[in-house]
Coordinates of all heavy atoms in Angstrom, one line a residue:
F147 N 18.0 -13.3 0.7 CA 17.5 -14.0 -0.5 C 17.2 -15.5 -0.4 O 16.1 -15.9 -0.7 CB 18.6 -13.7 -1.6 CG 18.2 -14.2 -3.0 CD1 17.3 -13.5 -3.8 CD2 18.6 -15.5 -3.4 CE1 17.0 -14.0 -5.0 CE2 18.3 -16.0 -4.7 CZ 17.4 -15.2 -5.5
E148 N 18.1 -16.2 0.1 CA 17.9 -17.7 0.1 C 16.8 -18.1 1.0 O 16.1 -19.0 0.8 CB 19.2 -18.4 0.5 CG 20.3 -18.4 -0.6 CD 19.9 -19.0 -1.9 OE1 18.9 -19.8 -1.9 OE2 20.5 -18.7 -3.0
E149 N 16.6 -17.4 2.2 CA 15.5 -17.7 3.1 C 14.2 -17.3 2.4 O 13.2 -18.1 2.6 CB 15.7 -16.9 4.4 CG 16.4 -17.6 5.5 CD 16.6 -16.7 6.7 OE1 15.6 -16.3 7.3 OE2 17.7 -16.3 7.0
N150 N 14.2 -16.2 1.7 CA 13.0 -15.8 1.0 C 12.6 -16.9 0.0 O 11.4 -17.3 -0.1 CB 13.2 -14.5 0.3 CG 11.9 -13.8 -0.2 OD1 10.8 -14.4 -0.2 ND2 12.0 -12.6 -0.8
V151 N 13.6 -17.4 -0.8 CA 13.4 -18.4 -1.8 C 12.8 -19.7 -1.1 O 11.8 -20.2 -1.5 CB 14.7 -18.8 -2.5 CG1 14.6 -20.1 -3.3 CG2 15.2 -17.7 -3.4
E152 N 13.4 -20.1 0.0 CA 13.0 -21.3 0.7 C 11.5 -21.2 1.2 O 10.7 -22.1 1.0 CB 13.9 -21.6 1.9 CG 13.9 -23.0 2.4 CD 14.8 -23.1 3.6 OE1 15.8 -22.5 3.6 OE2 14.4 -23.8 4.6
L153 N 11.2 -20.1 1.8 CA 9.8 -19.9 2.3 C 8.8 -19.8 1.2 O 7.7 -20.4 1.2 CB 9.8 -18.6 3.2 CG 8.5 -18.2 3.7 CD1 7.8 -19.2 4.6 CD2 8.6 -16.8 4.4
T154 N 9.2 -19.1 0.2 CA 8.3 -18.9 -1.0 C 8.0 -20.2 -1.6 O 6.8 -20.6 -2.0 CB 8.8 -17.9 -2.0 OG1 9.0 -16.6 -1.3 CG2 7.9 -17.7 -3.1
K155 N 9.1 -21.0 -1.8 CA 8.9 -22.3 -2.5 C 8.0 -23.2 -1.7 O 7.2 -24.0 -2.3 CB 10.3 -22.9 -2.6 CG 10.4 -24.3 -3.2 CD 10.5 -24.3 -4.7 CE 10.8 -25.6 -5.3 NZ 9.7 -26.6 -5.2
K156 N 8.1 -23.2 -0.4 CA 7.3 -24.0 0.5 C 5.8 -23.7 0.2 O 4.9 -24.5 0.1 CB 7.7 -23.8 1.9 CG 7.0 -24.8 2.9 CD 7.5 -24.6 4.3 CE 6.7 -25.4 5.3 NZ 7.0 -25.1 6.7
V157 N 5.5 -22.4 0.2 CA 4.1 -21.9 0.0 C 3.7 -22.3 -1.4 O 2.5 -22.7 -1.6 CB 4.0 -20.4 0.2 CG1 2.6 -19.9 -0.2 CG2 4.3 -20.1 1.7
V158 N 4.5 -22.1 -2.4 CA 4.2 -22.4 -3.8 C 3.8 -23.9 -3.9 O 2.8 -24.2 -4.5 CB 5.3 -22.0 -4.8 CG1 5.1 -22.7 -6.2 CG2 5.5 -20.5 -4.9
D159 N 4.6 -24.8 -3.3 CA 4.3 -26.2 -3.4 C 2.9 -26.5 -2.9 O 2.1 -27.2 -3.5 CB 5.4 -27.0 -2.7 CG 6.7 -27.0 -3.5 OD1 6.7 -26.6 -4.7 OD2 7.8 -27.3 -2.9
Y160 N 2.6 -26.0 -1.7 CA 1.3 -26.2 -1.1 C 0.2 -25.6 -1.9 O -0.8 -26.3 -2.1 CB 1.3 -25.7 0.4 CG 0.1 -26.1 1.1 CD1 0.0 -27.4 1.7 CD2 -1.0 -25.3 1.3 CE1 -1.1 -27.8 2.4 CE2 -2.2 -25.7 1.9 CZ -2.2 -27.0 2.5 OH -3.3 -27.4 3.1
A161 N 0.4 -24.4 -2.3 CA -0.7 -23.6 -3.0 C -1.0 -24.3 -4.3 O -2.2 -24.6 -4.6 CB -0.3 -22.2 -3.2
H162 N 0.0 -24.6 -5.1 CA -0.2 -25.2 -6.4 C -0.9 -26.6 -6.3 O -1.7 -27.0 -7.1 CB 1.1 -25.3 -7.2 CG 1.6 -24.0 -7.7 ND1 2.7 -23.8 -8.5 CD2 1.0 -22.8 -7.6 CE1 2.8 -22.6 -8.8 NE2 1.9 -21.9 -8.3
A163 N -0.6 -27.3 -5.2 CA -1.2 -28.6 -5.0 C -2.7 -28.4 -4.7 O -3.5 -29.4 -4.8 CB -0.5 -29.4 -3.9
H164 N -3.1 -27.2 -4.4 CA -4.5 -26.9 -4.1 C -5.2 -26.0 -5.1 O -6.2 -25.4 -4.8 CB -4.6 -26.4 -2.6 CG -4.2 -27.4 -1.6 ND1 -2.9 -27.7 -1.3 CD2 -5.0 -28.1 -0.8 CE1 -2.9 -28.6 -0.3 NE2 -4.2 -28.9 0.0
G165 N -4.5 -25.8 -6.2 CA -5.1 -24.9 -7.3 C -5.1 -23.4 -7.0 O -5.9 -22.7 -7.5
V166 N -4.2 -23.0 -6.1 CA -4.1 -21.6 -5.7 C -2.8 -21.0 -6.2 O -1.8 -21.7 -6.3 CB -4.2 -21.5 -4.1 CG1 -3.9 -20.1 -3.6 CG2 -5.6 -21.9 -3.7
V167 N -2.9 -19.7 -6.6 CA -1.7 -19.1 -7.1 C -1.0 -18.2 -6.1 O -1.6 -17.9 -5.1 CB -2.0 -18.2 -8.4 CG1 -2.4 -19.0 -9.6 CG2 -3.1 -17.1 -8.0
V168 N 0.3 -18.0 -6.3 CA 1.2 -17.3 -5.3 C 1.9 -16.1 -5.8 O 2.5 -16.1 -6.9 CB 2.2 -18.3 -4.7 CG1 3.1 -17.6 -3.7 CG2 1.6 -19.5 -4.1
E169 N 1.7 -15.0 -5.1 CA 2.5 -13.8 -5.3 C 3.6 -13.7 -4.3 O 3.4 -14.0 -3.1 CB 1.6 -12.5 -5.1 CG 2.3 -11.2 -5.2 CD 1.3 -10.0 -4.8 OE1 0.1 -10.1 -5.2 OE2 1.8 -9.1 -4.2
A170 N 4.8 -13.4 -4.8 CA 6.0 -13.3 -3.8 C 6.5 -11.9 -3.9 O 6.1 -11.1 -4.8 CB 7.0 -14.3 -4.2
E171 N 7.5 -11.5 -3.1 CA 8.0 -10.2 -3.1 C 9.5 -10.2 -3.0 O 10.1 -11.0 -2.1 CB 7.4 -9.3 -2.0 CG 8.0 -7.9 -2.0 CD 7.2 -6.9 -1.3 OE1 6.0 -7.0 -1.1 OE2 7.8 -5.9 -0.8
L172 N 10.2 -9.4 -3.8 CA 11.6 -9.3 -3.7 C 12.0 -7.8 -3.8 O 11.5 -7.1 -4.7 CB 12.3 -10.1 -4.9 CG 13.8 -10.2 -4.8 CD1 14.2 -11.1 -3.6 CD2 14.4 -10.8 -6.1
G173 N 12.8 -7.4 -2.8 CA 13.1 -6.0 -2.7 C 12.3 -5.4 -1.6 O 11.3 -6.0 -1.3
K174 N 12.7 -4.3 -1.1 CA 11.9 -3.7 0.0 C 11.3 -2.3 -0.5 O 12.1 -1.5 -1.0 CB 12.8 -3.4 1.2 CG 13.1 -4.7 2.0 CD 13.7 -4.3 3.3 CE 14.3 -5.6 4.0 NZ 15.7 -5.9 3.5
L175 N 10.0 -2.1 -0.2 CA 9.4 -0.9 -0.6 C 10.1 0.3 0.1 O 10.3 0.2 1.3 CB 7.9 -0.8 -0.3 CG 7.0 -1.8 -1.1 CD1 5.6 -1.2 -1.1 CD2 7.5 -2.1 -2.5
A176 N 10.5 1.3 -0.6 CA 11.1 2.4 0.1 C 10.1 3.1 1.0 O 9.0 3.3 0.7 CB 11.6 3.4 -1.0
G177 N 10.6 3.5 2.2 CA 9.8 4.3 3.1 C 10.3 5.8 2.9 O 11.2 6.0 2.1
I178 N 9.6 6.7 3.5 CA 9.9 8.1 3.2 C 11.3 8.4 3.7 O 12.0 9.2 3.2 CB 8.9 9.1 3.9 CG1 9.1 10.5 3.4 CG2 8.9 9.0 5.4 CD1 7.9 11.1 2.8
E179 N 11.8 7.7 4.7 CA 13.1 7.9 5.2 C 14.2 7.5 4.2 O 15.2 8.2 4.0 CB 13.4 7.1 6.5 CG 12.5 7.4 7.7 CD 12.5 8.9 8.0 OE1 13.5 9.5 8.0 OE2 11.4 9.4 8.3
D180 N 13.9 6.4 3.5 CA 14.8 5.9 2.5 C 15.0 6.9 1.4 O 16.0 7.0 0.8 CB 14.4 4.5 1.9 CG 14.4 3.4 3.0 OD1 15.2 3.6 3.9 OD2 13.6 2.5 2.9
A181 N 13.9 7.5 1.0 CA 13.9 8.4 -0.1 C 14.9 9.6 0.1 O 15.3 10.2 -0.9 CB 12.5 9.0 -0.4
V182 N 15.2 9.9 1.3 CA 16.1 11.0 1.6 C 17.6 10.6 1.2 O 18.3 11.4 0.6 CB 16.1 11.3 3.1 CG1 17.0 12.5 3.4 CG2 14.7 11.6 3.6
N183 N 17.9 9.4 1.5 CA 19.3 8.9 1.2 C 19.3 8.0 0.0 O 18.8 6.9 0.1 CB 19.8 8.2 2.5 CG 21.2 7.7 2.3 OD1 21.6 7.4 1.1 ND2 21.9 7.6 3.3
V184 N 19.7 8.5 -1.1 CA 19.6 7.8 -2.4 C 20.3 6.4 -2.3 O 19.7 5.4 -2.8 CB 20.2 8.6 -3.6 CG1 20.1 7.8 -4.9 CG2 19.4 9.9 -3.7
S185 N 21.5 6.3 -1.7 CA 22.2 5.0 -1.8 C 21.4 4.0 -0.9 O 21.3 2.8 -1.3 CB 23.6 5.2 -1.3 OG 23.6 5.6 0.0
E186 N 20.9 4.4 0.2 CA 20.1 3.5 1.0 C 18.8 3.1 0.2 O 18.4 1.9 0.2 CB 19.6 4.2 2.3 CG 20.5 3.8 3.5 CD 20.1 4.6 4.7 OE1 18.9 4.6 5.0 OE2 20.9 5.1 5.4
A187 N 18.2 4.1 -0.4 CA 16.9 3.8 -1.1 C 17.3 2.8 -2.3 O 16.5 1.8 -2.5 CB 16.4 5.0 -1.7
D188 N 18.4 3.0 -2.9 CA 18.8 2.2 -4.0 C 18.9 0.7 -3.6 O 18.6 -0.2 -4.3 CB 20.2 2.7 -4.6 CG 20.1 3.0 -6.0 OD1 19.0 3.0 -6.6 OD2 21.2 3.1 -6.6
A189 N 19.5 0.5 -2.4 CA 19.7 -0.8 -1.9 C 18.4 -1.6 -1.7 O 18.4 -2.8 -1.7 CB 20.4 -0.7 -0.6
A190 N 17.3 -0.8 -1.6 CA 16.0 -1.5 -1.3 C 15.3 -1.8 -2.6 O 14.4 -2.6 -2.7 CB 15.1 -0.6 -0.5
F191 N 15.7 -1.2 -3.8 CA 15.1 -1.5 -5.0 C 15.3 -3.0 -5.4 O 16.4 -3.6 -5.1 CB 15.6 -0.6 -6.1 CG 15.1 0.8 -6.0 CD1 16.0 1.9 -6.2 CD2 13.8 1.1 -5.7 CE1 15.6 3.2 -6.0 CE2 13.4 2.4 -5.5 CZ 14.3 3.5 -5.7
T192 N 14.4 -3.6 -6.2 CA 14.6 -4.9 -6.6 C 15.7 -5.0 -7.7 O 15.8 -4.2 -8.6 CB 13.3 -5.4 -7.3 OG1 12.2 -5.3 -6.3 CG2 13.4 -6.9 -7.7
D193 N 16.6 -6.1 -7.5 CA 17.6 -6.3 -8.5 C 17.1 -7.2 -9.6 O 16.7 -8.3 -9.3 CB 18.8 -6.9 -7.7 CG 19.9 -7.3 -8.7 OD1 19.7 -8.2 -9.5 OD2 21.0 -6.7 -8.6
P194 N 17.1 -6.8 -10.8 CA 16.5 -7.6 -11.9 C 17.1 -9.0 -12.1 O 16.3 -9.9 -12.3 CB 16.7 -6.7 -13.2 CG 16.9 -5.3 -12.6 CD 17.5 -5.4 -11.3
E195 N 18.4 -9.1 -12.0 CA 19.0 -10.4 -12.1 C 18.5 -11.4 -11.0 O 18.2 -12.5 -11.2 CB 20.5 -10.3 -12.0 CG 21.2 -9.4 -13.0 CD 21.4 -10.0 -14.3 OE1 21.3 -11.3 -14.4 OE2 21.6 -9.3 -15.3
Q196 N 18.5 -10.8 -9.8 CA 18.0 -11.6 -8.6 C 16.5 -12.0 -8.8 O 16.1 -13.1 -8.4 CB 18.1 -10.8 -7.3 CG 19.4 -10.9 -6.6 CD 19.3 -10.5 -5.2 OE1 18.4 -9.9 -4.8 NE2 20.3 -10.9 -4.4
A197 N 15.7 -11.1 -9.4 CA 14.3 -11.3 -9.6 C 14.2 -12.5 -10.5 O 13.3 -13.4 -10.3 CB 13.6 -10.1 -10.2
A198 N 15.0 -12.6 -11.6 CA 14.9 -13.7 -12.5 C 15.3 -15.0 -11.8 O 14.6 -16.1 -12.0 CB 15.8 -13.5 -13.7
E199 N 16.3 -15.0 -11.0 CA 16.8 -16.2 -10.3 C 15.7 -16.6 -9.3 O 15.4 -17.8 -9.1 CB 18.1 -15.9 -9.6 CG 18.7 -17.1 -8.9 CD 19.9 -16.7 -8.1 OE1 20.5 -15.6 -8.2 OE2 20.3 -17.5 -7.2
F200 N 15.1 -15.6 -8.6 CA 14.1 -15.9 -7.6 C 12.9 -16.6 -8.2 O 12.4 -17.6 -7.7 CB 13.6 -14.6 -7.0 CG 12.7 -14.7 -5.8 CD1 13.1 -14.9 -4.6 CD2 11.3 -14.6 -6.1 CE1 12.2 -15.1 -3.5 CE2 10.4 -14.7 -5.0 CZ 10.9 -15.0 -3.7
V201 N 12.4 -16.1 -9.3 CA 11.2 -16.7 -10.0 C 11.5 -18.1 -10.5 O 10.7 -19.0 -10.3 CB 10.7 -15.8 -11.1 CG1 9.7 -16.5 -12.0 CG2 10.1 -14.5 -10.6
Q202 N 12.7 -18.3 -11.0 CA 13.1 -19.6 -11.5 C 13.2 -20.6 -10.4 O 12.7 -21.7 -10.5 CB 14.4 -19.4 -12.3 CG 14.9 -20.7 -13.0 CD 15.9 -21.5 -12.2 OE1 16.7 -20.9 -11.5 NE2 15.8 -22.8 -12.3

Side-chain angles (χ1 to χ4, degrees):
F147 184 81
E148 288 303 338
E149 266 177 67
N150 189 358
V151 167
E152 197 183 323
L153 175 61
T154 301
K155 175 89 173 65
K156 188 176 171 190
V157 172
V158 167
D159 288 346
Y160 189 80
H162 286 182
H164 292 79
V166 170
V167 291
V168 178
E169 173 186 326
E171 179 164 335
L172 190 67
K174 286 194 191 81
L175 293 208
I178 191 124
E179 300 306 324
D180 293 335
V182 183
N183 181 329
V184 176
S185 61
E186 262 179 45
D188 235 13
F191 290 136
T192 303
D193 176 294
E195 303 278 345
Q196 270 199 346
E199 187 186 342
F200 184 85
V201 168
Q202 188 264 324

